[in-house]
């Protein structure tokens, strides 16, 4: 084997293999969807999931799934909606509730 | 929060959320199955909760169309807090101890950084419990 062949087989080919593997792992990592990690700040928009109620969801998906939550002044966590800060909308309390709570 | 953000998966609201489309699909599937098996309304809220956490989670449940028959899983990753709220009729089918148990499983998943997995597990456990309770009667 000449010097050229030796270099090719023992240096260039392993380098090429390592390069391909590196590209696969690093490339896949960069376009991964952002995910939650404990302890890191969570800066996503709050989301509220319901099994889509077919009666209250318009075909084009533009109407809110929850009609009552779209009522003026009903607000959830976060900032008060514009212009309704001085109005209070009372949501009737549905009575005693059960459940559990915890932290991690 | 505007009304447009309070939409379901069908609206693609979670495009800016922490979940991949595959995870969204799993959550949607678990929600739909839970609703169908139990007749209760399950919902999942992921985002910041106001202090006091319990009261704001209960207020979220009250804004649902049928709060007495609803179950809300509120997850606040920043506060690292989980609140499971059951309406008063739902609470008869899912006792607080079952909620505690589901909450423990969820917290274990959250500790590992698996938000979607924890939510799906919690939904399944609560729905299983409510479905069993319904059969017994």
């Amino acid at each position: 084997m000449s010097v050229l062949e030796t270099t090719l087989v023992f240096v260039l080919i392993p380098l090429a293999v390592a390069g391909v593997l590196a590209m696969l792992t690093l490339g896949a990592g960069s376009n991964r969807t952002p995910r939650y990690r404990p302890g890191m700040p969570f800066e996503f928009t709050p989301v509220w999931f319901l099994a889509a109620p077919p009666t209250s969801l318009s075909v084009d998906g533009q109407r809110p799934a929850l009609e009552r939550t779209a009522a003026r002044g009903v607000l959830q966590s976060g900032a008060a909606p514009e212009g309704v800060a001085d109005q209070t909308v009372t949501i009737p309390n549905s009575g005693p509730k059960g459940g559990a709570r915890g932290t991690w | 929060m505007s009304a447009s953000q309070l939409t379901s998966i069908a609206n693609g609201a979670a495009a800016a959320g922490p979940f991949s489309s595959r995870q969204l699909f799993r959550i949607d599937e678990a929600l739909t199955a839970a609703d169908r098996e139990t007749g209760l309304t399950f919902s999942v809220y992921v985002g910041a909760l106001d202090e006091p956490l319990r009261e704001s989670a209960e207020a979220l449940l009250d804004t649902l169309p049928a709060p007495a028959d609803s179950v809300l899983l509120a997850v606040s990753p920043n506060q690292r807090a989980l609140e499971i709220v059951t309406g008063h009729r739902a609470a008869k089918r899912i006792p607080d101890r079952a909620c505690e148990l589901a909450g423990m499983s969820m917290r274990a998943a959250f500790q590992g950084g698996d938000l979607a997995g924890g939510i799906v597990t919690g939904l399944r456990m609560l729905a299983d419990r409510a479905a069993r309770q319904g059969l017994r009667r």
Side-chain angles (χ1 to χ4, degrees), chain A residues 52-63:
Chain A
T55 49
S56 58
L57 196 67
S58 63
V59 177
D60 56 1
Q62 290 308 301
R63 266 184 27 223

Side-chain angles (χ1 to χ4, degrees), chain A residues 42 47 49 76-77 94 99-100 102, chain B residues 44-46 48 60 62 78 82 84:
Chain A
F42 184 84
V47 282
F49 301 128
Q76 316 305 338
S77 56
S94 68
Chain B
V44 176
Y45 175 82
V46 184
L60 283 180
D62 280 336
N78 271 340
L82 163 74
I84 301 177

Side-chain angles (χ1 to χ4, degrees), chain A residues 33-34 44-47 49, chain B residues 7-9 11-21 24:
Chain A
T33 46
F44 300 102
T45 316
V47 282
F49 301 128
Chain B
T7 45
S8 70
I9 292 171
N11 296 12
F19 303 116
S20 67
S21 46
L24 286 175

